Amino acid sequence: VALNGQCFFSSGLNYVVYNAMVESVSLLGAPAETPVAMTVYGEGFPYPGLSGAFCRFRAIGTENADRLDQTRSATTTSTTELEVDTPAGQVPGQWEIRCMLNGVD
């Protein structure tokens, strides 16, 4: 840490940087009136997971895209898998899914 950008000193804190990458997604059915389990496969997921992980589901190319924007909590089950339930009662179509693993970004 440096208060003036020149004189650095140890803050006593450790920082960990995760470089997660998504490779594929698997649904146990199609989004319907009830939430459906979805598994996100990839690498570099923090495990055991950080608190506050979530996925944001947003409809693409729909008039009501803002209304069809929901966030669901997620859980990392390993360094290569993330589990999340899809929002219930969504319309068919294309969806953008963003997973935030630290509860902030």
Side-chain angles (χ1 to χ4, degrees):
V1 177
L3 299 176
N4 61 6
Q6 298 175 5
C7 301
F8 291 88
F9 62 92
S10 174
S11 66
L13 299 175
N14 294 320
Y15 298 93
V16 178
V17 177
Y18 295 99
N19 191 18
M21 180 172 42
V22 171
E23 294 173 354
S24 64
V25 174
S26 172
L27 284 172
L28 297 176
E33 295 301 317
T34 60
V36 175
M38 183 175 83
T39 303
V40 179
Y41 298 97
E43 59 184 55
F45 299 151
Y47 182 79
L50 302 171
S51 63
F54 64 91
C55 292
R56 178 179 174 199
F57 293 80
R58 183 174 175 273
I60 297 174
T62 308
E63 299 176 7
N64 300 319
D66 291 337
R67 186 175 59 82
L68 301 174
D69 187 346
Q70 294 189 28
T71 302
R72 307 284 293 188
S73 63
T75 304
T76 52
T77 55
S78 72
T79 59
T80 60
E81 291 184 15
L82 174 81
E83 297 286 333
V84 63
D85 287 338
T86 63
Q90 297 301 326
V91 295
Q94 291 184 346
W95 290 82
E96 172 184 83
I97 303 167
R98 294 183 180 199
C99 296
M100 283 47 108
L101 301 176
N102 63 2
V104 179
D105 296 332

